[in-house]
Amino acid sequence: MKSFGYAAASKSAPLAPWSFDRREPNPDDVVLSIDYCGICHSDIHQVRGDWGRELFPMVPGHEIIGRVTAVGSNVTRFKPGDLAAVGVIVESCLHCTNCRNNLEVYCSDGGARDTYNATLRDGSRTYGGYSDTIVTPEHFVHTLKPGIDLAATAPLLCAGITTYSPLRHWGAGPNKKVGVIGLGGLGHLALKFAHAFGAHVVQFTTSESKIDDAKKLGADEVVLSKDPAAMQKHAASFDFILDCVSAPHDMDAYLALLKLDATLCIVGLPDKPLSVQPFSIVANRRSLAGSAIGGMKETQEMLDFCADNNITAEIELTTYDKLNEAYDRVLKNDVKYRFVLDNRSLKQS
Ligand code: NAP
Ligand code: ZN
C-alpha cells in the first residue's frame, strides 16, 4: 500500500519526506488515515541509535490518532469513518499465557512487535505514525469516545499508558505517597493520573521553571532534585516512585526516599546503563522494577478513563516543517509537555 511520511535515512540524518510501501491490508486489518501523531522521546532515542537496534529508513511515531478508511472482512469493532487510535505495538502471538492475560507487550512467544522500527512475523517492516496512513490488526486498534480533544489525546497512546499501567499495578491511590521523577511527556501524565487516582503526589524535577506548572497539573508537593536538603526531607517516606527520566541520573538519591517494601519503577529508557548502590535497595527491603507500556485491554481502559475524567496531554501542536526543530527542543528539555504533529501539514511534495 502506497504511503507517504517523514523518515530518517540514518542516525545522523534529519527526518525528511519519504514515499514508501506498507504491507497490504488483510481481513483482520483496520486502515487509518492519520490526523495526529505525538512525538515521543523514544522516537528520538531510536532515530539517533541510542538503543542500538535501528532499522533505516525509519518512519517513527507511535501515538497515532486517525479515522478508519477501510476494514477487512473479519473486523467487527470498526467501520469506515470511525475515529481510532494506534499505540506502540502492532503484533504479538496472541496465544501465549501473557497475551491471553491481556499483557501482549510481554508476549513470550516471539515478542510484541513495535509500530515502527520492527519486523513482523511475516517479514514485513513496520513504519510509524509520522505518515498519512497505517495498516494495523484490529486487536491493536483502540476506539475513541466522541467529543474528546483528538490532538491532546494522541500522547495517551504511549506516554499515557506507560504511566497509567505501573501506577495502577502498584496501587497508586488514596493514602499513598507517590513520586514522579521528570516532568516531561510521560511525567506530566503520570502526575495527572496519580492525582486523579487520589494519591499524595510529589513531583521531582531538575527544572525550576516547571515548578508552577507541576502544581497546576496536580502535584501536592514539588521537589527540585538538585537540592539535597529538599530531597532529604522525604527520606524513606514514599510508597511508590515512577521514574520517567530519559537520561542517566542518580538512582540512589531516589531509592533512599522509599519506605519499607516500597518500589521504584523505571519507565524511562536512557541510552546508558544506570548504576545502583546495592545498599540503596537492601535498606528497607526496597524493590527496583520496570514497566513497558501496557496491554491492549488496559490501554482501552486508560483511554476511556481519560475521556470520562477529562484527562489529556498538555501539548504543543506542530507541523512537519518543524519536526527536526521539535526533536532538538525535546533534547534541550524545551517542550511543555508533548509535541503533536498535525497531519494537515503533511503535504506530498
Ligand atoms: P521527555 O518528554 O523528554 O521527558 C524527560 C524528562 O526527564 C524531562 O522533561 C526532564 O524532566 C527529565 N530529564 C531530561 N534530561 C535529564 C537529565 N539529564 N537528568 C535528569 N532529568 C532529566 O521524554 P518522554 O517522552 O517523557 O520519555 C521519557 C523516557 O521514557 C524516554 O527515555 C523514553 O524512551 C521512555 N519511554 C519508555 C516507555 C516504556 O514503555 N517504558 C514508553 C515511552 C517512553 P525535568 O525537567 O522535570 O527534570
Ligand atoms: Zn513512546
Side-chain angles (χ1 to χ4, degrees):
M1 207 181 91
K2 294 283 172 217
S3 208
F4 174 72
Y6 269 60
S10 73
K11 60 184 171 185
S12 54
L15 287 112
W18 188 47
S19 295
F20 60 102
D21 290 321
R22 291 188 179 277
R23 66 180 182 81
E24 288 301 322
N26 68 42
D28 295 322
D29 286 325
V30 175
V31 183
L32 292 191
S33 166
I34 298 172
D35 290 327
Y36 299 103
C37 186
I39 297 178
C40 178
H41 205 121
S42 298
D43 302 346
I44 303 175
H45 284 311
Q46 290 177 87
V47 161
R48 299 275 164 105
D50 285 353
W51 297 341
R53 50 178 169 98
E54 50 283 352
L55 302 168
F56 293 107
M58 190 191 305
V59 178
H62 56 205
E63 295 183 335
I64 300 165
I65 299 279
R67 274 155 225 280
V68 176
T69 54
V71 295
S73 54
N74 295 339
V75 171
T76 59
R77 291 186 298 132
F78 297 93
K79 59 180 188 319
D82 287 350
L83 289 169
V86 175
V88 179
I89 60 172
V90 291
E91 189 185 79
S92 71
C93 82
L94 299 179
H95 55 68
C96 73
T97 309
N98 294 350
C99 283
R100 279 189 281 109
N101 287 332
N102 301 305
L103 294 167
E104 300 89 340
V105 64
Y106 305 114
C107 172
S108 61
D109 186 1
R113 304 296 164 92
D114 289 348
T115 302
Y116 68 87
N117 192 28
T119 306
L120 299 177
R121 283 162 173 77
D122 70 2
S124 61
R125 279 271 308 277
T126 61
Y127 300 107
Y130 299 3
S131 61
D132 53 1
T133 60
I134 191 160
V135 180
T136 311
E138 180 183 24
H139 186 84
F140 297 89
V141 184
H142 306 286
T143 60
L144 295 170
K145 292 193 174 187
I148 56 170
D149 179 337
L150 294 176
T153 291
L156 301 178
L157 274 302
C158 173
I161 186 59
T162 300
T163 51
Y164 182 95
S165 182
L167 288 166
R168 283 293 198 213
H169 183 76
W170 276 280
N175 305 317
K176 293 284 170 70
K177 183 171 172 183
V178 171
V180 175
I181 315 177
L183 191 63
L186 268 59
H188 91 287
L189 286 167
L191 172 55
K192 288 190 181 197
F193 287 136
H195 175 70
F197 299 164
H200 179 90
V201 197
V202 180
Q203 177 72 49
F204 295 95
T205 181
T206 60
S207 308
E208 224 160 328
S209 61
K210 296 182 184 174
I211 291 176
D212 288 343
D213 283 354
K215 289 181 184 155
K216 280 186 211 136
L217 295 171
D220 297 290
E221 299 177 65
V222 185
V223 174
L224 257 187
S225 49
K226 296 182 271 198
D227 177 353
M231 293 287 279
Q232 179 57 32
K233 276 190 200 153
H234 292 272
S237 66
F238 281 88
D239 295 286
F240 181 66
I241 298 177
L242 190 64
D243 185 340
C244 304
V245 176
S246 54
H249 53 288
D250 180 359
M251 298 301 295
D252 299 307
Y254 294 102
L255 288 165
L257 308 186
L258 295 174
K259 66 188 201 188
L260 181 71
D261 286 338
T263 297
L264 184 151
C265 173
I266 294 174
V267 286
L269 293 164
D271 59 336
K272 296 199 177 62
L274 297 165
S275 90
V276 172
Q277 166 60 254
F279 280 105
S280 299
I281 46 176
V282 167
N284 264 346
R285 200 165 56 186
R286 295 167 172 133
S287 295
L288 177 59
S291 181
I293 50 165
M296 296 305 103
K297 184 166 178 254
E298 193 175 38
T299 303
Q300 188 65 58
E301 172 194 306
M302 178 274 311
L303 288 169
D304 294 344
F305 178 86
C306 289
D308 294 342
N309 292 279
N310 211 9
I311 293 175
T312 53
E314 305 298 306
I315 65 161
E316 193 172 322
L317 198 60
T318 191
T319 49
Y320 280 88
D321 57 332
K322 296 199 177 117
L323 175 53
N324 291 296
E325 190 186 309
Y327 271 36
D328 292 341
R329 284 186 49 200
V330 173
L331 289 169
K332 283 190 214 135
N333 203 357
D334 173 27
V335 52
K336 288 183 172 174
Y337 282 88
R338 193 59 137 196
F339 282 114
V340 173
L341 287 162
D342 184 345
N343 258 26
R344 284 170 294 196
S345 67
L346 180 66
K347 297 192 182 68
Q348 190 138 15
S349 44

